[in-house]
Amino acid sequence: MRTPRSDDRGFTLIELLVAITLMAISFGAVFGGLGLYFKIQSTQRANATIDTEIRSYAERILERPYDGDCSADYSAATPPAAALGLTATVTVTYWDGNLPAGFDSTCTTDRGLQQITITLTATRGESGTLQIGKSR
């Protein structure tokens, strides 16, 4: 009986298991990286949309006439489209005449300067905030 030569024997079961394990680890790393890439891409797209919409909303608020007498309501400025999944919150604080940070949410007399804080929040939790000033 003839014994096979060492180069005719093929792979052992252990060599195949090691190769399959290495391939599984490599595929896991590649697919994990792809998943992270798509998640980051989606978050960046949402942040870019929020940034664009918040600046556009701020421009619409600044175009409105000054709403004084301690009753500022800029709801007439068209908020971002709800179809984008964004909700807007607008907070107005009034300058109380004190420096350096003299803005207060309670207004006794409107001194002609408002600090408007706009916050947009997406349905998935991303949010952006912009503060603008408006004067008479």
Side-chain angles (χ1 to χ4, degrees), residues 4 11 13-14 20 27 32 36-37 40 42 51 67 71 87 90-91 95 105-106 113 120 128 130 132 134 136:
F11 296 106
L13 179 60
I14 293 176
I20 290 171
F27 285 141
L36 183 62
Y37 166 76
I40 289 173
S42 173
D51 187 53
D67 194 354
S71 62
T87 55
V90 177
T91 307
W95 186 50
S105 59
T106 59
L113 183 61
L120 289 185
L130 179 67
I132 57 175
K134 189 165 181 134
R136 272 187 236 191

PDB file of all heavy atoms in Angstrom, residues 4 11 13-14 20 27 32 36-37 40 42 51 67 71 87 90-91 95 105-106 113 120 128 130 132 134 136:
ATOM      1  N   PRO A   4       0.111   8.387   1.002  1.00  0.00           N
ATOM      2  CA  PRO A   4      -0.012   9.640   0.244  1.00  0.00           C
ATOM      3  C   PRO A   4       1.113  10.601   0.590  1.00  0.00           C
ATOM      4  O   PRO A   4       1.623  10.617   1.690  1.00  0.00           O
ATOM      5  CB  PRO A   4      -1.355  10.194   0.669  1.00  0.00           C
ATOM      6  CG  PRO A   4      -1.689   9.535   1.944  1.00  0.00           C
ATOM      7  CD  PRO A   4      -0.948   8.227   1.986  1.00  0.00           C
ATOM      8  N   PHE A  11      -6.714  19.998   3.553  1.00  0.00           N
ATOM      9  CA  PHE A  11      -6.801  20.740   4.811  1.00  0.00           C
ATOM     10  C   PHE A  11      -7.379  19.865   5.904  1.00  0.00           C
ATOM     11  O   PHE A  11      -8.261  19.043   5.671  1.00  0.00           O
ATOM     12  CB  PHE A  11      -7.691  21.978   4.646  1.00  0.00           C
ATOM     13  CG  PHE A  11      -7.140  22.975   3.680  1.00  0.00           C
ATOM     14  CD1 PHE A  11      -7.694  23.126   2.428  1.00  0.00           C
ATOM     15  CD2 PHE A  11      -6.062  23.770   4.031  1.00  0.00           C
ATOM     16  CE1 PHE A  11      -7.197  24.046   1.538  1.00  0.00           C
ATOM     17  CE2 PHE A  11      -5.555  24.701   3.143  1.00  0.00           C
ATOM     18  CZ  PHE A  11      -6.111  24.836   1.893  1.00  0.00           C
ATOM     19  N   LEU A  13      -9.508  19.554   9.568  1.00  0.00           N
ATOM     20  CA  LEU A  13     -10.721  20.165  10.098  1.00  0.00           C
ATOM     21  C   LEU A  13     -10.379  21.412  10.915  1.00  0.00           C
ATOM     22  O   LEU A  13     -11.073  22.426  10.841  1.00  0.00           O
ATOM     23  CB  LEU A  13     -11.477  19.149  10.959  1.00  0.00           C
ATOM     24  CG  LEU A  13     -12.765  19.644  11.596  1.00  0.00           C
ATOM     25  CD1 LEU A  13     -13.747  20.082  10.513  1.00  0.00           C
ATOM     26  CD2 LEU A  13     -13.375  18.564  12.461  1.00  0.00           C
ATOM     27  N   ILE A  14      -9.305  21.383  11.662  1.00  0.00           N
ATOM     28  CA  ILE A  14      -8.900  22.534  12.474  1.00  0.00           C
ATOM     29  C   ILE A  14      -8.537  23.716  11.588  1.00  0.00           C
ATOM     30  O   ILE A  14      -8.911  24.865  11.864  1.00  0.00           O
ATOM     31  CB  ILE A  14      -7.731  22.152  13.409  1.00  0.00           C
ATOM     32  CG1 ILE A  14      -8.233  21.143  14.445  1.00  0.00           C
ATOM     33  CG2 ILE A  14      -7.141  23.371  14.083  1.00  0.00           C
ATOM     34  CD1 ILE A  14      -7.176  20.621  15.363  1.00  0.00           C
ATOM     35  N   ILE A  20     -12.680  29.652   8.764  1.00  0.00           N
ATOM     36  CA  ILE A  20     -14.076  30.099   8.852  1.00  0.00           C
ATOM     37  C   ILE A  20     -14.231  31.119   9.983  1.00  0.00           C
ATOM     38  O   ILE A  20     -14.933  32.124   9.840  1.00  0.00           O
ATOM     39  CB  ILE A  20     -15.016  28.894   9.036  1.00  0.00           C
ATOM     40  CG1 ILE A  20     -15.052  28.075   7.733  1.00  0.00           C
ATOM     41  CG2 ILE A  20     -16.413  29.334   9.423  1.00  0.00           C
ATOM     42  CD1 ILE A  20     -15.767  26.756   7.844  1.00  0.00           C
ATOM     43  N   PHE A  27     -15.975  39.543   8.419  1.00  0.00           N
ATOM     44  CA  PHE A  27     -17.291  39.987   7.944  1.00  0.00           C
ATOM     45  C   PHE A  27     -18.023  40.780   9.024  1.00  0.00           C
ATOM     46  O   PHE A  27     -18.698  41.757   8.728  1.00  0.00           O
ATOM     47  CB  PHE A  27     -18.131  38.807   7.479  1.00  0.00           C
ATOM     48  CG  PHE A  27     -17.718  38.249   6.157  1.00  0.00           C
ATOM     49  CD1 PHE A  27     -17.726  36.880   5.941  1.00  0.00           C
ATOM     50  CD2 PHE A  27     -17.312  39.066   5.119  1.00  0.00           C
ATOM     51  CE1 PHE A  27     -17.349  36.354   4.722  1.00  0.00           C
ATOM     52  CE2 PHE A  27     -16.925  38.550   3.897  1.00  0.00           C
ATOM     53  CZ  PHE A  27     -16.942  37.187   3.697  1.00  0.00           C
ATOM     54  N   GLY A  32     -20.273  45.662  10.694  1.00  0.00           N
ATOM     55  CA  GLY A  32     -20.401  46.606  11.804  1.00  0.00           C
ATOM     56  C   GLY A  32     -19.987  48.004  11.389  1.00  0.00           C
ATOM     57  O   GLY A  32     -20.625  48.992  11.750  1.00  0.00           O
ATOM     58  N   LEU A  36     -22.378  51.378  11.219  1.00  0.00           N
ATOM     59  CA  LEU A  36     -21.991  52.637  11.853  1.00  0.00           C
ATOM     60  C   LEU A  36     -21.947  53.776  10.835  1.00  0.00           C
ATOM     61  O   LEU A  36     -22.391  54.897  11.114  1.00  0.00           O
ATOM     62  CB  LEU A  36     -20.638  52.484  12.538  1.00  0.00           C
ATOM     63  CG  LEU A  36     -20.125  53.691  13.308  1.00  0.00           C
ATOM     64  CD1 LEU A  36     -21.078  54.041  14.449  1.00  0.00           C
ATOM     65  CD2 LEU A  36     -18.732  53.411  13.840  1.00  0.00           C
ATOM     66  N   TYR A  37     -21.451  53.491   9.647  1.00  0.00           N
ATOM     67  CA  TYR A  37     -21.391  54.497   8.584  1.00  0.00           C
ATOM     68  C   TYR A  37     -22.794  55.008   8.254  1.00  0.00           C
ATOM     69  O   TYR A  37     -23.024  56.219   8.159  1.00  0.00           O
ATOM     70  CB  TYR A  37     -20.736  53.912   7.336  1.00  0.00           C
ATOM     71  CG  TYR A  37     -20.922  54.752   6.110  1.00  0.00           C
ATOM     72  CD1 TYR A  37     -20.197  55.918   5.913  1.00  0.00           C
ATOM     73  CD2 TYR A  37     -21.859  54.396   5.138  1.00  0.00           C
ATOM     74  CE1 TYR A  37     -20.377  56.706   4.791  1.00  0.00           C
ATOM     75  CE2 TYR A  37     -22.048  55.170   4.013  1.00  0.00           C
ATOM     76  CZ  TYR A  37     -21.307  56.315   3.838  1.00  0.00           C
ATOM     77  OH  TYR A  37     -21.497  57.084   2.731  1.00  0.00           O
ATOM     78  N   ILE A  40     -24.209  57.156  11.158  1.00  0.00           N
ATOM     79  CA  ILE A  40     -23.595  58.483  11.189  1.00  0.00           C
ATOM     80  C   ILE A  40     -24.097  59.338  10.033  1.00  0.00           C
ATOM     81  O   ILE A  40     -24.377  60.523  10.191  1.00  0.00           O
ATOM     82  CB  ILE A  40     -22.057  58.362  11.178  1.00  0.00           C
ATOM     83  CG1 ILE A  40     -21.574  57.815  12.514  1.00  0.00           C
ATOM     84  CG2 ILE A  40     -21.392  59.698  10.882  1.00  0.00           C
ATOM     85  CD1 ILE A  40     -20.105  57.493  12.548  1.00  0.00           C
ATOM     86  N   SER A  42     -26.991  59.154   8.563  1.00  0.00           N
ATOM     87  CA  SER A  42     -28.359  59.570   8.858  1.00  0.00           C
ATOM     88  C   SER A  42     -28.382  60.708   9.877  1.00  0.00           C
ATOM     89  O   SER A  42     -29.136  61.675   9.730  1.00  0.00           O
ATOM     90  CB  SER A  42     -29.143  58.366   9.391  1.00  0.00           C
ATOM     91  OG  SER A  42     -30.407  58.758   9.824  1.00  0.00           O
ATOM     92  N   ASP A  51     -30.103  72.396  10.854  1.00  0.00           N
ATOM     93  CA  ASP A  51     -29.355  73.642  10.706  1.00  0.00           C
ATOM     94  C   ASP A  51     -29.981  74.537   9.640  1.00  0.00           C
ATOM     95  O   ASP A  51     -30.167  75.739   9.857  1.00  0.00           O
ATOM     96  CB  ASP A  51     -27.895  73.338  10.360  1.00  0.00           C
ATOM     97  CG  ASP A  51     -27.037  74.578  10.356  1.00  0.00           C
ATOM     98  OD1 ASP A  51     -27.055  75.309  11.363  1.00  0.00           O
ATOM     99  OD2 ASP A  51     -26.351  74.823   9.340  1.00  0.00           O
ATOM    100  N   ASP A  67     -42.281  92.720  18.087  1.00  0.00           N
ATOM    101  CA  ASP A  67     -43.478  92.447  18.881  1.00  0.00           C
ATOM    102  C   ASP A  67     -43.162  92.779  20.336  1.00  0.00           C
ATOM    103  O   ASP A  67     -42.637  91.966  21.070  1.00  0.00           O
ATOM    104  CB  ASP A  67     -43.870  90.972  18.710  1.00  0.00           C
ATOM    105  CG  ASP A  67     -45.263  90.683  19.216  1.00  0.00           C
ATOM    106  OD1 ASP A  67     -45.880  91.593  19.791  1.00  0.00           O
ATOM    107  OD2 ASP A  67     -45.720  89.552  19.050  1.00  0.00           O
ATOM    108  N   SER A  71     -45.202  91.039  25.293  1.00  0.00           N
ATOM    109  CA  SER A  71     -46.098  89.960  24.856  1.00  0.00           C
ATOM    110  C   SER A  71     -45.637  89.388  23.525  1.00  0.00           C
ATOM    111  O   SER A  71     -46.448  89.123  22.649  1.00  0.00           O
ATOM    112  CB  SER A  71     -47.519  90.485  24.722  1.00  0.00           C
ATOM    113  OG  SER A  71     -47.543  91.507  23.720  1.00  0.00           O
ATOM    114  N   THR A  87     -40.086  69.685  15.347  1.00  0.00           N
ATOM    115  CA  THR A  87     -40.952  70.500  16.191  1.00  0.00           C
ATOM    116  C   THR A  87     -40.140  71.692  16.674  1.00  0.00           C
ATOM    117  O   THR A  87     -38.965  71.560  17.019  1.00  0.00           O
ATOM    118  CB  THR A  87     -41.475  69.706  17.403  1.00  0.00           C
ATOM    119  OG1 THR A  87     -40.374  69.173  18.125  1.00  0.00           O
ATOM    120  CG2 THR A  87     -42.382  68.573  16.961  1.00  0.00           C
ATOM    121  N   VAL A  90     -39.954  78.201  20.657  1.00  0.00           N
ATOM    122  CA  VAL A  90     -39.417  79.566  20.639  1.00  0.00           C
ATOM    123  C   VAL A  90     -39.594  80.159  22.032  1.00  0.00           C
ATOM    124  O   VAL A  90     -40.687  80.156  22.582  1.00  0.00           O
ATOM    125  CB  VAL A  90     -40.137  80.444  19.590  1.00  0.00           C
ATOM    126  CG1 VAL A  90     -39.614  81.865  19.633  1.00  0.00           C
ATOM    127  CG2 VAL A  90     -39.992  79.852  18.202  1.00  0.00           C
ATOM    128  N   THR A  91     -38.487  80.649  22.593  1.00  0.00           N
ATOM    129  CA  THR A  91     -38.505  81.287  23.907  1.00  0.00           C
ATOM    130  C   THR A  91     -37.989  82.715  23.754  1.00  0.00           C
ATOM    131  O   THR A  91     -36.943  82.925  23.148  1.00  0.00           O
ATOM    132  CB  THR A  91     -37.603  80.522  24.900  1.00  0.00           C
ATOM    133  OG1 THR A  91     -37.980  79.155  24.910  1.00  0.00           O
ATOM    134  CG2 THR A  91     -37.716  81.092  26.286  1.00  0.00           C
ATOM    135  N   TRP A  95     -34.582  92.168  27.687  1.00  0.00           N
ATOM    136  CA  TRP A  95     -33.458  92.835  28.349  1.00  0.00           C
ATOM    137  C   TRP A  95     -34.017  93.687  29.474  1.00  0.00           C
ATOM    138  O   TRP A  95     -34.932  94.493  29.289  1.00  0.00           O
ATOM    139  CB  TRP A  95     -32.700  93.681  27.352  1.00  0.00           C
ATOM    140  CG  TRP A  95     -31.456  94.273  27.919  1.00  0.00           C
ATOM    141  CD1 TRP A  95     -30.464  93.614  28.600  1.00  0.00           C
ATOM    142  CD2 TRP A  95     -31.076  95.637  27.886  1.00  0.00           C
ATOM    143  NE1 TRP A  95     -29.477  94.488  28.972  1.00  0.00           N
ATOM    144  CE2 TRP A  95     -29.826  95.745  28.549  1.00  0.00           C
ATOM    145  CE3 TRP A  95     -31.645  96.779  27.363  1.00  0.00           C
ATOM    146  CZ2 TRP A  95     -29.147  96.940  28.696  1.00  0.00           C
ATOM    147  CZ3 TRP A  95     -30.971  97.972  27.495  1.00  0.00           C
ATOM    148  CH2 TRP A  95     -29.735  98.056  28.164  1.00  0.00           C
ATOM    149  N   SER A 105     -36.977  86.290  31.590  1.00  0.00           N
ATOM    150  CA  SER A 105     -38.211  85.861  30.927  1.00  0.00           C
ATOM    151  C   SER A 105     -39.418  86.654  31.424  1.00  0.00           C
ATOM    152  O   SER A 105     -40.430  86.729  30.746  1.00  0.00           O
ATOM    153  CB  SER A 105     -38.441  84.368  31.136  1.00  0.00           C
ATOM    154  OG  SER A 105     -38.531  84.093  32.519  1.00  0.00           O
ATOM    155  N   THR A 106     -39.311  87.234  32.598  1.00  0.00           N
ATOM    156  CA  THR A 106     -40.398  88.085  33.076  1.00  0.00           C
ATOM    157  C   THR A 106     -40.082  89.520  32.671  1.00  0.00           C
ATOM    158  O   THR A 106     -38.981  90.008  32.869  1.00  0.00           O
ATOM    159  CB  THR A 106     -40.529  87.994  34.615  1.00  0.00           C
ATOM    160  OG1 THR A 106     -39.307  88.402  35.195  1.00  0.00           O
ATOM    161  CG2 THR A 106     -40.882  86.589  35.038  1.00  0.00           C
ATOM    162  N   LEU A 113     -35.262  95.363  23.428  1.00  0.00           N
ATOM    163  CA  LEU A 113     -34.304  94.340  23.009  1.00  0.00           C
ATOM    164  C   LEU A 113     -34.774  92.981  23.516  1.00  0.00           C
ATOM    165  O   LEU A 113     -35.077  92.823  24.701  1.00  0.00           O
ATOM    166  CB  LEU A 113     -32.910  94.659  23.561  1.00  0.00           C
ATOM    167  CG  LEU A 113     -31.783  93.712  23.146  1.00  0.00           C
ATOM    168  CD1 LEU A 113     -31.595  93.722  21.633  1.00  0.00           C
ATOM    169  CD2 LEU A 113     -30.487  94.104  23.836  1.00  0.00           C
ATOM    170  N   LEU A 120     -35.095  73.438  17.522  1.00  0.00           N
ATOM    171  CA  LEU A 120     -35.767  72.473  16.653  1.00  0.00           C
ATOM    172  C   LEU A 120     -35.356  71.077  17.095  1.00  0.00           C
ATOM    173  O   LEU A 120     -34.173  70.813  17.320  1.00  0.00           O
ATOM    174  CB  LEU A 120     -35.378  72.666  15.189  1.00  0.00           C
ATOM    175  CG  LEU A 120     -35.898  73.898  14.469  1.00  0.00           C
ATOM    176  CD1 LEU A 120     -35.519  73.851  13.001  1.00  0.00           C
ATOM    177  CD2 LEU A 120     -37.392  74.015  14.607  1.00  0.00           C
ATOM    178  N   GLY A 128     -31.295  71.156  17.580  1.00  0.00           N
ATOM    179  CA  GLY A 128     -30.408  72.284  17.352  1.00  0.00           C
ATOM    180  C   GLY A 128     -31.013  73.525  17.988  1.00  0.00           C
ATOM    181  O   GLY A 128     -32.229  73.663  18.054  1.00  0.00           O
ATOM    182  N   LEU A 130     -30.615  77.896  18.339  1.00  0.00           N
ATOM    183  CA  LEU A 130     -30.046  79.136  17.805  1.00  0.00           C
ATOM    184  C   LEU A 130     -30.611  80.301  18.603  1.00  0.00           C
ATOM    185  O   LEU A 130     -31.810  80.360  18.835  1.00  0.00           O
ATOM    186  CB  LEU A 130     -30.379  79.282  16.317  1.00  0.00           C
ATOM    187  CG  LEU A 130     -29.886  80.534  15.613  1.00  0.00           C
ATOM    188  CD1 LEU A 130     -28.349  80.525  15.537  1.00  0.00           C
ATOM    189  CD2 LEU A 130     -30.459  80.623  14.210  1.00  0.00           C
ATOM    190  N   ILE A 132     -30.995  84.435  18.719  1.00  0.00           N
ATOM    191  CA  ILE A 132     -30.904  85.653  17.922  1.00  0.00           C
ATOM    192  C   ILE A 132     -31.382  86.817  18.782  1.00  0.00           C
ATOM    193  O   ILE A 132     -32.101  86.622  19.769  1.00  0.00           O
ATOM    194  CB  ILE A 132     -31.725  85.556  16.624  1.00  0.00           C
ATOM    195  CG1 ILE A 132     -33.200  85.234  16.919  1.00  0.00           C
ATOM    196  CG2 ILE A 132     -31.130  84.550  15.675  1.00  0.00           C
ATOM    197  CD1 ILE A 132     -34.104  85.235  15.712  1.00  0.00           C
ATOM    198  N   LYS A 134     -33.296  90.680  18.739  1.00  0.00           N
ATOM    199  CA  LYS A 134     -34.200  91.509  17.938  1.00  0.00           C
ATOM    200  C   LYS A 134     -34.436  92.795  18.717  1.00  0.00           C
ATOM    201  O   LYS A 134     -34.660  92.782  19.910  1.00  0.00           O
ATOM    202  CB  LYS A 134     -35.508  90.764  17.707  1.00  0.00           C
ATOM    203  CG  LYS A 134     -36.407  91.457  16.723  1.00  0.00           C
ATOM    204  CD  LYS A 134     -37.502  90.522  16.255  1.00  0.00           C
ATOM    205  CE  LYS A 134     -38.346  91.255  15.271  1.00  0.00           C
ATOM    206  NZ  LYS A 134     -38.641  90.500  14.114  1.00  0.00           N
ATOM    207  N   ARG A 136     -36.104  97.030  18.541  1.00  0.00           N
ATOM    208  CA  ARG A 136     -37.118  97.883  17.905  1.00  0.00           C
ATOM    209  C   ARG A 136     -36.574  98.578  16.711  1.00  0.00           C
ATOM    210  O   ARG A 136     -35.536  98.961  16.514  1.00  0.00           O
ATOM    211  CB  ARG A 136     -37.607  98.934  18.879  1.00  0.00           C
ATOM    212  CG  ARG A 136     -38.740  98.451  19.690  1.00  0.00           C
ATOM    213  CD  ARG A 136     -39.275  99.570  20.487  1.00  0.00           C
ATOM    214  NE  ARG A 136     -39.208  99.067  21.860  1.00  0.00           N
ATOM    215  CZ  ARG A 136     -39.762  99.642  22.864  1.00  0.00           C
ATOM    216  NH1 ARG A 136     -40.367 100.760  22.739  1.00  0.00           N
ATOM    217  NH2 ARG A 136     -39.708  99.117  24.052  1.00  0.00           N
TER     218      ARG A 136
END
